Amino acid sequence: MWQGDDLVGFVDWDTAGPFTRERDLAYVALTWVPLHARHVVVAQGFTAFEDRYRRLHLLLDAYGYEGDRSAFGLEVADRAQKNAEFIRRHAEGGEQVFRTLLPFAVNLEQAVAEIEELPDSFWVRA
């Protein structure tokens, strides 16, 4: 959403559903910090991996997140895993659109593995 020349918000309806605020915020962190698989975000032009800690906590602070940030890491990984499972389930059910998205499911699963490798200190605000 734009206000004049300024981006003031965005709406992503692809995975819309009745989620908790942590679940929605987890997807935002996955895609905008970004915590997605390295090869995915490098292809999009992001290479400042050392800045992800600052970006994550800036996002959480700006959002007013007061939850357990260590547990938030688990939420990000679980959100990515559930999205991958959703794609796979529908692809296996014969839905062509989701068959086309199978490489995206693989990328999400790689993101989960990379998120799980982050040190505990990544999730805790200094």
Side-chain angles (χ1 to χ4, degrees):
M1 296 182 294
W2 296 88
Q3 185 173 38
D5 292 333
D6 298 323
L7 177 66
V8 295
F10 60 92
V11 179
D12 180 357
W13 296 108
D14 290 345
T15 58
F19 295 117
T20 65
R21 66 187 295 232
E22 285 83 9
R23 201 71 165 168
D24 284 336
L25 191 55
Y27 196 75
V28 171
L30 179 73
T31 57
W32 289 92
V33 167
L35 297 173
H36 212 307
R38 279 181 176 257
H39 73 278
V40 170
V41 298
V42 166
Q44 296 168 347
F46 181 84
T47 59
F49 291 100
E50 68 285 346
D51 197 37
R52 292 185 310 163
Y53 173 87
R54 182 191 67 80
R55 292 167 61 105
L56 171 70
H57 294 285
L58 179 63
L59 169 68
L60 296 177
D61 291 345
Y63 194 81
Y65 185 73
E66 296 180 3
D68 179 350
R69 292 186 182 203
S70 295
F72 183 73
L74 299 173
E75 188 73 28
V76 175
D78 189 62
R79 175 66 193 262
Q81 184 62 47
K82 293 292 191 272
N83 280 27
E85 290 169 1
F86 180 85
I87 292 168
R88 287 190 181 285
R89 184 172 54 253
H90 287 274
E92 290 166 3
E95 295 183 48
Q96 185 57 42
V97 170
F98 289 96
R99 286 183 181 169
T100 303
L101 289 174
L102 281 172
F104 190 69
V106 171
N107 291 339
L108 286 167
E109 291 160 346
Q110 179 61 39
V112 171
E114 292 177 20
I115 290 165
E116 290 174 344
E117 291 174 359
L118 290 169
D120 293 341
S121 60
F122 182 83
W123 303 103
V124 180
R125 184 174 15 153

